[in-house]
Amino acid sequence: MKEGASMQELTEQELLERISSSQEGSFAVFLYTPFCGTCKVTERMLDIIMTMMPALPLVKCNINFLPQITREWQISSVPCIVIIEQGKEKEFIYRMQSVDELYLKLLPLNRM
């Protein structure tokens, strides 16, 4: 059932490098844990969005392997989508109500 683009999985080091890399534009990070049911639902919603916008700059990270980022960003729960602009975390999304709502939140990243 996998069609279209899928999210690239990054390690903490890769994520930190991407954030500090000035030529990278804005992007979003989906934070999850493997055994979280809500995370799986959110990932399915994001897969649908990636099918509609294959160029969307969206990556995913297992929060279990992000001790430094979890501390620095003060992540309170998963699933969480963090929107990064100019190397700074701009918005934290903890409520994943619908594909439509997520699509509208992520749409501005597709144009950058």
Side-chain angles (χ1 to χ4, degrees):
M1 195 193 128
K2 280 277 185 204
E3 71 274 329
S6 63
M7 284 178 279
Q8 179 187 5
E9 177 112 22
L10 298 184
T11 64
E12 185 168 62
Q13 190 56 45
E14 289 167 335
L15 180 57
L16 289 168
E17 284 168 15
R18 180 154 183 179
I19 291 166
S20 66
S21 162
S22 57
Q23 72 267 24
E24 283 290 347
S26 300
F27 67 100
V29 184
F30 168 53
L31 302 174
Y32 73 97
T33 61
F35 300 111
C36 157
T38 315
C39 297
K40 290 189 188 337
V41 172
T42 300
E43 186 162 9
R44 278 200 287 279
M45 290 195 289
L46 291 171
D47 284 341
I48 292 166
I49 292 167
M50 290 295 289
T51 303
M52 294 187 288
M53 299 188 290
L56 183 70
L58 175 65
V59 296
K60 66 180 181 176
C61 296
N62 181 340
I63 200 161
N64 293 325
F65 301 114
L66 304 178
Q68 179 184 343
I69 286 174
T70 303
R71 217 174 25 256
E72 284 177 13
W73 292 356
Q74 300 176 345
I75 301 300
S76 56
S77 66
V78 289
C80 177
I81 297 170
V82 184
I83 295 177
I84 308 287
E85 280 183 10
Q86 286 123 18
K88 299 252 184 293
E89 54 280 6
K90 176 191 174 251
E91 186 178 357
F92 294 84
I93 305 166
Y94 288 102
R95 242 176 81 243
M96 320 297 168
Q97 267 200 290
S98 67
V99 171
D100 281 353
E101 190 179 289
L102 278 178
Y103 177 83
L104 291 173
K105 289 241 187 232
L106 296 171
L107 189 59
L109 295 175
N110 204 39
R111 296 194 195 110
M112 296 178 167

